[in-house]
Amino acid sequence: MNTTSRPRPRAILRIYFHPAERSGELYGQLLAVVDGISSRVEPQPADWSAYADLTGALAYWGRDVEGLVAVLRLRLLALHGVRCSAGAGPTRSITAIAADITPPGAATVVGDTPYEIAAFLRTKPASALPGIGPQTARALARYGITTIADTPPATLQRILGTTAARQAHDRAHGIDERPVTPGAAPRTMSASHRFGHDELAPDRHHRTLLGLAQDLGSRLRTGGEIAQALTLTATYADRTQTTRTLTEPTAHTPALAATARQLLTGLGLQRARIRTSALRAEHLRPAEDTVRQLTPDDPDDKLHRLETALEKATARCGPGITGAAATFPPGRMRTTAVKRPT
């Protein structure tokens, strides 16, 4: 008699949060709601989402996947007024695809039977599969391959190579053993400025952003922390957010300011009227974790020493006495400084 039983299928959730306003504190609160359903939650703060393993929670709550996802969505809306979009399925990759095609306020649940998995994946384009980037999709398209599920593994291997072909084949057939790795939400720190009117002048946008970068840099250094990512949010008729990962974890104001400028340029605002600018330092960790290669006569060392001197002057004379030159309006740099945005 065969006593081997079929392993219990996993139930993985990918949920995206869609709040009206974003803050690190709110993201943590939303994660806490998810954690109240399942303790196996993996934060994905870069795009305001999270993975959760619901496998063990189904029996505890006495519900199927659809019912448990509905409970979670209702709790997020009732407790925080936040709508979400969710995808659920037996693997991380299926869940990610389901979540990506789901609009806010809805959920897509893929069953765990071979038929349901095949029916969901067979029509999905290659570019929809996690791990298949634009370059790989273009390489396949040159050979007339737009979907992977029915493509022979040997064909994929000739085009993509052994490792990439195996991964593409597995993803297209619902094979993905990657677990949900629980973890706390990375700490964030933010600074924002609300203009008195819808500000049109680009130089005001830039000066304000440099002031925010200076504020964040000072607070990071005071707390002995470094930021690994920086997010700019410009609020006007609709909300736009762009994220750029720093090339080197830092709390150094010039590095923060340079990245902030690139973020602002990347928004392509042109003649946009901005009401609020916000800069958020993300994925904070202790400064002692940073290893920086030193070189003779390193200009960065001089800037670090200058920052230290300016912060000592601020501590002695009060906030607003020093600041980045670019944050001062033209014609007022001789004797007065503009207060840093708050």
Side-chain angles (χ1 to χ4, degrees), residues 32 186 222 237:
T222 299

Side-chain angles (χ1 to χ4, degrees), residues 232-236 238-241 264 267 269 274 276-278:
L232 168 65
T233 301
T235 303
Y236 37 94
D238 56 3
R239 296 178 177 84
T240 300
Q241 184 180 72
L264 184 60
L267 289 179
L269 300 180
I274 298 179
T276 303
S277 291

Side-chain angles (χ1 to χ4, degrees), residues 1-7:
M1 180 178 178
N2 185 9
T3 58
T4 302
S5 60
R6 177 173 178 257

Side-chain angles (χ1 to χ4, degrees), residues 8-206:
R8 179 174 58 174
R10 293 190 301 166
I12 309 298
L13 171 73
R14 178 73 182 270
I15 187 166
Y16 286 91
F17 308 114
H18 303 285
E21 298 285 347
R22 295 185 173 189
S23 70
E25 181 181 2
L26 176 59
Y27 182 70
Q29 293 170 347
L30 299 178
L31 287 181
V33 176
V34 181
D35 187 70
I37 297 293
S38 169
S39 61
R40 299 189 63 80
V41 180
E42 181 180 326
Q44 301 286 313
D47 55 11
W48 270 65
S49 71
Y51 283 98
D53 191 333
L54 304 179
T55 308
L58 297 176
Y60 177 83
W61 289 92
R63 295 175 181 270
D64 59 12
V65 178
E66 291 89 344
L68 197 52
V69 172
V71 169
L72 175 56
R73 291 170 53 216
L74 183 60
R75 285 191 174 193
L76 290 166
L77 189 60
L79 295 174
H80 299 287
V82 173
R83 293 198 306 162
C84 65
S85 55
T91 70
R92 284 181 68 118
S93 55
I94 290 175
T95 293
I97 297 170
D100 285 343
I101 64 175
T102 303
T108 300
V109 178
V110 181
D112 56 40
T113 68
Y115 174 79
E116 290 171 304
I117 292 172
F120 177 74
L121 292 175
R122 180 155 288 131
T123 60
K124 296 297 180 291
S127 57
L129 300 177
I132 305 298
Q135 184 175 351
T136 302
R138 286 194 295 270
L140 292 169
R142 284 197 293 269
Y143 292 88
I145 299 173
T146 56
T147 61
I148 293 179
D150 295 324
T151 304
T155 301
L156 292 174
Q157 185 171 335
R158 283 195 296 271
I159 299 172
L160 304 179
T162 303
T163 302
R166 183 184 299 113
Q167 177 177 297
H169 179 270
D170 287 350
R171 297 290 189 269
H173 290 83
I175 301 171
D176 184 1
E177 299 300 324
R178 292 176 299 162
V180 172
T181 305
R187 280 189 6 87
T188 65
M189 182 182 295
S190 60
S192 64
H193 175 72
R194 183 177 178 85
F195 294 102
H197 57 277
D198 292 335
E199 182 58 61
L200 181 63
D203 62 327
R204 287 281 297 168
H205 300 162
H206 280 272

